[in-house]
Amino acid sequence: MQNLLDSYLSKSKEKRSDVIAYLAALDHLQTVSPSIADLILKELVDQRTYLKLIASENYSSLSVQLAMGNLLTDKYSEGYPYHRFYAGCENVDAVEAEAATLAQDLFEVDHAYVQPHSGADANLVAFWAILTERIQNPFMEKLRKKNPDELSPEEFEELRQLLCNQSFMGLSLSSGGHLTHGFRQNVSAKMMRAHTYDIDPKTGLLNYDTIAKQARKIKPLILLAGYSAYPRHINFAKMREIADEVGAVFMVDMAHFAGLVAGKVFQGETNPTKFAHILTTTTHKTLRGPRGGLVLCEESLSQSVNKGCPHVLGGPLPHVMAAKAIAFREAHTTDFRNYAHQIVENSHALAEEFIHQGLKLVTGGTDNHLVLIDLTMFGITGRIAETALRQAGLTVNRNMIPFDQNGAWYTSGLRLGTPALTTLGMGKKEMKEIALILTKVLKHTKPETVKSTGQLSKARGITDPKIIEEARTRVQSLLDQYPLYPEIIIS
Ligand SMILES: *Cc1c(COP(=O)(O)O)cnc(C)c1O
């Protein structure tokens, strides 16, 4: 068994307390569960072996991770700060209140709710708060004045029917929306009537006139903006105008780009906090915090949002709320702002080089942290490209392109993001090199022919092994220059 702390202390001149604590914890885990400790280190090795171009992932600080590894996990604290269903929550109250205040300051909003365990949970909390507060009809007015326990069985049934008859509009999955934005198989499409809007097939962009027309017909309770795979700015001022015109609540899910909002890259009409009634996000993507969710809202929705637990969620995760507080503090710094700007500069550099190499990008470029490659010209599916690139040392994910002919499983696109590599310190020069490596692999990858049918496979491809080998060497050289968690020395 290796002693990570000893290796660090003997090899490094500086003695950072975060590193010492972190390594001591890993060393300890090796004594209580060698298998789990081994898997943690194997995951580190895996992440060190590939260039992480997954747009939704990042590398959090050791401080963020350390804040999660402690006794706060032992505490139940259902309710919200200073209003709990459990005794002895004074310290958790203070942790949660501090995280919430930091989030409010960071995003300049009235209210923050830091309990959601994930982005999907944050969306459920937000939907539920809107359903509770904003359905305007006489029956609901009457119910709001009553204690829920006093509803008759008939009233309760009427309430249930009313709730699931509400409509909302979100970006479709194939246009870059998230599963929780009304994808048929997701609860979001069943707890309300879900309608989706698409991007314009000609430009690949959101067309606000088309969205407005659709909204006038549907008159949704909620107009939802936000994406997981849309490479361009959203004009939130225009979306808010549409919501106002049809009397909808304007909700923004900024799970992917919250870090770009916090880092002040998205300003003016591209800053959703200035226009949304309610916002949701993850805390682990561009925001670079612990895995978790967050809801932000204006004052009028705060009471309902605070009832996320127990109405939607179970007990909060106090240790994760502590880690969120650390991450929000980090995001307040100039370093983080520079980081956020660099993410987008890197994304531009990546896109530029792809275009220079003759590749087709959905929308022809990017305004944010992600790039969507249209693979049609290569005659391979996203699945084939993803596998070939992984062999070459690049982790990317396949993604549908608008109106994809290959469906959600095989796809015709690749989604690439720069947040993680930017955390490692890579810049434009490295992005250019990555674009060159990636393009070369794609150019030398062909689909296999299925023997039984004679047709081209959507799942299996062949890449010239020499090309893979060359790519692997170039990837390794980049990884060596920008090591991940270099303090952890595995012998
Ligand atoms: C990632 C994402 C989510 C879900 O976050 P989880 O933490 O995985 O639940 C929700 N909405 C959008 C737009 C996302 O990109």
Side-chain angles (χ1 to χ4, degrees):
M1 205 160 58
Q2 50 188 319
N3 189 307
L4 298 165
L5 184 53
D6 282 352
S7 305
Y8 170 71
L9 292 175
S10 67
K11 294 209 174 97
S12 152
K13 269 194 236 93
E14 47 168 25
K15 311 278 178 253
R16 276 168 43 195
S17 60
D18 58 339
V19 179
I20 292 170
Y22 197 90
L23 298 179
L26 286 176
D27 283 337
H28 174 69
L29 285 183
Q30 294 190 74
T31 68
V32 289
S33 174
S35 54
I36 293 296
D38 186 48
L39 287 168
I40 296 172
L41 294 179
K42 274 195 177 136
E43 179 58 26
L44 174 63
V45 172
D46 187 271
Q47 299 220 10
R48 279 179 177 171
T49 312
Y50 298 91
L51 286 168
K52 175 143 93 177
L53 285 152
I54 306 245
S56 52
E57 291 186 13
N58 212 327
Y59 301 113
S60 58
S61 70
L62 297 189
S63 303
V64 161
Q65 295 178 35
L66 282 167
M68 284 186 278
N70 58 65
L71 58 104
L72 287 176
T73 191
D74 296 337
K75 189 71 197 108
Y76 248 116
S77 54
E78 288 185 356
Y80 53 89
Y82 315 110
H83 185 95
R84 303 284 185 185
F85 293 87
Y86 276 76
C89 292
E90 290 75 12
N91 297 307
V92 176
D93 281 344
V95 168
E96 181 171 354
E98 179 167 335
T101 306
L102 286 165
Q104 275 159 230
D105 290 351
L106 183 62
F107 292 105
E108 301 175 64
V109 292
D110 293 348
H111 184 74
Y113 181 67
V114 298
Q115 288 189 21
H117 311 333
S118 68
D121 282 3
N123 282 345
L124 279 180
V125 169
F127 285 152
W128 202 246
I130 298 167
L131 286 170
T132 309
E133 288 294 327
R134 294 293 167 87
I135 300 175
Q136 277 158 2
N137 84 6
F139 175 70
M140 278 309 269
E141 297 305 325
K142 193 177 85 187
L143 289 200
R144 283 193 194 104
K145 294 193 191 98
K146 274 194 168 181
N147 181 334
D149 297 334
E150 290 165 3
L151 299 188
S152 69
E154 294 74 26
E155 281 174 325
F156 196 78
E157 185 52 28
E158 191 177 340
L159 173 63
R160 268 183 5 90
Q161 299 285 337
L162 183 66
L163 292 174
C164 66
N165 276 328
Q166 300 304 308
S167 319
F168 83 101
M169 264 174 76
L171 185 63
S172 68
L173 191 68
S174 62
S175 287
H178 190 257
L179 295 164
T180 55
H181 296 193
F183 182 63
R184 282 233 156 157
Q185 291 168 50
N186 188 269
V187 62
S188 58
K190 289 161 186 157
M191 68 187 277
M192 286 181 273
R193 286 182 203 281
H195 299 266
T196 51
Y197 53 92
D198 289 308
I199 44 113
D200 188 314
K202 282 205 199 77
T203 60
L205 300 171
L206 292 172
N207 180 325
Y208 300 98
D209 294 332
T210 318
I211 298 170
K213 259 187 220 151
Q214 200 180 344
R216 281 181 207 120
K217 256 192 233 143
I218 294 164
K219 294 212 184 321
L221 174 71
I222 304 169
L223 180 63
L224 172 56
Y227 53 76
S228 305
Y230 180 70
R232 293 298 185 171
H233 282 313
I234 295 178
N235 185 323
F236 295 107
K238 283 196 178 153
M239 290 299 281
R240 171 65 188 255
E241 247 174 62
I242 298 169
D244 283 347
E245 189 196 322
V246 302
V249 175
F250 182 38
M251 170 171 161
V252 174
D253 177 352
M254 57 175 182
H256 257 261
F257 52 91
L260 305 181
V261 177
K264 311 277 184 236
V265 182
F266 286 3
Q267 309 236 26
E269 293 176 332
T270 67
N271 175 2
T273 63
K274 295 278 170 281
F275 301 99
H277 296 104
I278 186 163
L279 301 108
T280 55
T281 182
T282 59
T283 47
H284 51 270
K285 296 181 183 173
T286 47
L287 200 48
R288 209 165 62 180
R291 187 160 293 283
L294 172 69
V295 181
L296 307 168
C297 64
E298 56 181 37
E299 195 51 48
S300 65
L301 286 164
S302 64
Q303 287 211 347
S304 287
V305 166
N306 274 348
K307 290 183 186 141
C309 162
H311 289 183
V312 178
L313 309 170
L317 312 173
H319 55 308
V320 180
M321 296 195 291
K324 285 173 185 170
I326 305 287
F328 299 150
R329 228 175 247 291
E330 289 176 356
H332 263 293
T333 58
T334 320
D335 272 358
F336 188 87
R337 280 192 197 184
N338 293 339
Y339 163 66
H341 282 86
Q342 191 64 48
I343 290 177
V344 178
E345 271 190 40
N346 282 352
S347 183
H348 283 153
L350 199 59
E352 230 165 72
E353 189 57 38
F354 281 136
I355 291 165
H356 190 66
Q357 294 300 313
L359 267 63
K360 192 173 163 210
L361 302 183
V362 175
T363 79
T366 178
D367 297 325
N368 56 19
H369 63 296
L370 69 88
V371 170
L372 266 182
I373 300 177
D374 180 338
L375 294 166
T376 320
M377 63 184 279
F378 294 108
I380 54 175
T381 62
R383 188 167 153 81
I384 290 175
E386 183 187 280
T387 310
L389 289 167
R390 176 84 180 166
Q391 285 170 7
L394 302 116
T395 312
V396 304
N397 64 285
R398 63 187 189 275
N399 209 97
M400 287 210 272
I401 56 172
F403 312 99
D404 203 309
Q405 301 297 306
N406 282 320
W409 181 251
Y410 295 111
T411 82
S412 311
L414 287 179
R415 185 186 69 168
L416 275 59
T418 55
L421 297 183
T422 307
T423 294
L424 292 184
M426 291 189 192
K428 290 199 240 178
K429 195 172 112 231
E430 289 74 28
M431 296 304 121
K432 192 173 164 179
E433 167 71 354
I434 289 168
L436 291 173
I437 301 171
L438 203 143
T439 305
K440 198 161 178 185
V441 172
L442 293 180
K443 280 185 177 159
H444 290 86
T445 302
K446 300 273 165 290
E448 267 184 34
T449 306
V450 182
K451 282 210 183 76
S452 53
T453 61
Q455 284 182 335
L456 294 179
S457 173
K458 289 186 177 192
R460 290 166 177 281
I462 323 160
T463 315
D464 182 342
K466 279 209 198 72
I467 299 289
I468 294 281
E469 203 176 311
E470 184 212 312
R472 200 87 209 46
T473 310
R474 288 165 74 179
V475 164
Q476 195 55 50
S477 148
L478 286 169
L479 290 167
D480 290 345
Q481 291 170 62
Y482 298 92
L484 171 65
Y485 302 123
E487 311 81 10
I488 309 175
I489 303 159
I490 303 176
S491 45

